[in-house]
Amino acid sequence: MAGGNKAVAYIEPGVVEVRTTDYPTLELKDGPGVAPANVGRECRHGVIVKVLATNICGSDQHMVRGRTTAPAGLVLGHEITGEVVEKGPDVEFLDVGDVVSVPFNIACGRCRNCKERQTGICENVNPGRPGAAYGYVDMGGWVGGQAKYVMVPYADFNLLRFPDRDAALEKLLDLTMLSDIFPTGFHGAVTAGTEVGSTVYVAGAGPVGLAAAAAAQLLGAAVVIVGDLNAERLAQARSFGCETVDLTKGTLEDQIAEILGVPEVDAAVDAVGFEARGHGKDAGEAPATVLNSLMSTVRAGGALGIPGLYVTDDPGGVDADARSGTLKVRLGLGWAKSHRFTTGQCPVMKYHRQLAMAILHDKVHIAKAVNATVISLDDAPRGYEEFDKGASRKYVLNPNGALDHVKAA
């Protein structure tokens, strides 16, 4: 298929722009952020996807705020759902017309980590370090999917095909959460040890935190408590049955005790990451706040799921340590309480199919939980601006009209 493309690009801190770009090919070409060793990489195993829905993620927002080393011109977007419109000669099990979910992890399916279901740290897709993603700094330079079209490598391995095209299109607003935030939130809840009857605290009521809360409910938690500094986001958490704590008012432990009768929980999820603020009405940034508060709050023998993003380079860090990702974490407290910690990218493929089934069979309504809000691709700069100001919405871009039936914001 010939023709051009449109995509959302990072320009400078606080600025994104919708640009005309080249139509993708089955070759990774040179461009902003592309690892030199990946330039010219042929992807006979890849497909071209027409993007039906693609979302603005908090991880994108870190780059747009200038809190990473992302280069100008980087095409953003790693939450992608689409339709296969072209396939490479080595693709065997996908066909043109298939509707698919694209995990944000890029994985070869051949290395040791992929074979052990650790697709977030594939060894063969990023020359710099294990793990790759679309449209993200230091992740190999694979072009992002906040666009009309995108190339997906290792398609047979990576893509989740929906067998019933009509059912997938009907549930598209929910299914678009499968590429990242729903599995990421679920991974946080699972690795925190959530099970039937658990009491769970989720730090952060942004989209990933709300997804983690919905996941904890799906896993059978007795009580899910969500904490944040943003009243609008806390109201969104309450809208689907969560308890909440307002971290501008009183201590976390006291507020949890008011809800549970004890100042501790069985499991906790960090859905905030390195841009955490201290607790209190006018608290400034304090990147270890969430990790330390979770260790104080989780019972002895419990676990912390940490899907919140932490980075090795933060140009906007509050001090020299923070700028290198060195945080003042009370590891001694976690050690004394025999806590278990799980960090890193969610291996989306580990949860992909079962969460799709839960959506398709109405066991969870994840779009409602995260307040999914459809906007046009051209409106992406507005979405970034409003999200950065704390809007309690998950912005979903509609590049090719597949969500025209959903009322746009």
Side-chain angles (χ1 to χ4, degrees):
M1 181 183 291
N5 194 9
K6 287 175 70 176
V8 181
Y10 166 70
I11 306 304
E12 61 184 19
V15 180
V16 299
E17 181 180 282
V18 180
R19 291 182 162 183
T20 298
T21 61
D22 291 336
Y23 186 84
T25 67
L26 298 176
E27 177 184 327
L28 186 54
K29 297 180 179 179
D30 198 8
V34 179
N38 262 350
V39 174
R41 187 166 180 164
E42 295 187 9
C43 298
R44 294 169 55 88
H45 41 66
V47 299
I48 306 301
V49 168
K50 178 183 178 180
V51 178
L52 302 180
T54 178
N55 316 324
I56 295 175
C57 180
S59 298
D60 299 319
Q61 199 75 62
H62 294 308
M63 290 187 289
V64 173
R65 289 186 187 123
R67 298 300 295 268
T68 72
T69 56
L74 182 75
V75 172
L76 300 166
H78 56 270
E79 300 190 11
I80 307 162
T81 308
E83 175 186 351
V84 176
V85 294
E86 181 183 337
K87 65 179 192 175
D90 291 350
V91 176
E92 296 185 67
F93 305 112
L94 293 164
D95 291 312
V96 170
D98 284 344
V99 176
V100 293
S101 179
V102 184
F104 80 89
N105 317 117
I106 299 172
C108 72
R110 297 152 166 82
C111 69
R112 173 180 174 174
N113 286 339
C114 284
K115 290 179 179 179
E116 293 179 358
R117 302 183 77 192
Q118 298 188 77
T119 52
I121 44 174
C122 173
E123 298 172 336
N124 290 331
V125 286
N126 183 357
R129 58 184 172 88
Y134 305 90
Y136 211 83
V137 60
D138 296 331
M139 288 288 186
W142 300 90
V143 179
Q146 285 175 14
K148 294 176 74 71
Y149 299 92
V150 67
M151 190 269 282
V152 175
Y154 302 102
D156 281 326
F157 182 68
N158 281 300
L159 294 179
L160 176 69
R161 183 179 69 87
F162 301 116
D164 187 328
R165 175 186 173 90
D166 291 339
L169 293 176
E170 182 181 345
K171 296 274 191 180
L172 182 59
L173 195 60
D174 287 282
L175 294 174
T176 190
M177 306 305 161
L178 284 173
S179 54
D180 182 356
I181 68 160
F182 193 19
T184 293
F186 193 83
H187 181 61
V190 167
T191 55
T194 305
E195 56 188 9
V196 173
S198 293
T199 56
V200 181
Y201 173 64
V202 178
V208 170
L210 296 172
Q217 292 174 337
L218 186 63
L219 288 163
V223 182
V224 180
I225 305 169
V226 179
D228 206 293
L229 303 157
N230 181 316
E232 182 184 349
R233 290 181 170 184
L234 291 174
Q236 180 63 28
R238 289 192 294 273
S239 75
F240 61 97
C242 298
E243 301 285 346
T244 59
V245 295
D246 184 338
L247 297 170
T248 68
K249 302 175 181 177
T251 70
L252 174 60
E253 291 84 355
D254 286 349
Q255 293 188 70
I256 287 177
E258 288 180 14
I259 296 167
L260 299 177
V262 293
E264 64 180 17
V265 293
D266 298 319
V269 179
D270 174 0
V272 178
F274 74 104
E275 287 194 70
R277 287 171 55 193
H279 296 170
K281 187 175 181 180
D282 298 312
E285 191 170 305
T289 297
V290 171
L291 294 173
N292 288 329
S293 67
L294 297 194
M295 285 187 282
S296 297
T297 305
V298 173
R299 68 174 180 85
L304 283 63
I306 310 172
L309 176 67
Y310 289 87
V311 295
T312 55
D313 293 291
D314 173 11
V318 293
D319 55 33
D321 283 340
R323 286 191 285 275
S324 65
T326 303
L327 308 184
K328 297 175 181 178
V329 176
R330 294 187 65 195
L331 186 59
L333 176 60
W335 188 94
K337 296 175 78 171
S338 294
H339 284 160
R340 302 181 306 282
F341 301 78
T342 301
T343 66
Q345 285 188 40
C346 165
V348 170
M349 207 176 296
K350 187 174 182 178
Y351 310 108
H352 217 183
R353 183 183 179 278
Q354 58 262 50
L355 294 181
M357 292 295 285
I359 289 170
L360 290 167
H361 293 278
D362 292 317
K363 298 302 180 185
V364 65
H365 300 282
I366 190 64
K368 182 178 180 181
V370 301
N371 197 17
T373 302
V374 177
I375 60 176
S376 69
L377 185 69
D378 288 334
D379 251 356
R382 173 172 68 91
Y384 272 97
E385 182 181 3
E386 292 179 0
F387 188 37
D388 188 50
K389 291 178 179 177
S392 185
R393 297 173 182 268
K394 177 66 173 177
Y395 286 100
V396 178
L397 306 182
N398 181 27
N400 286 293
L403 289 166
D404 281 353
H405 62 286
V406 179
K407 185 178 180 181

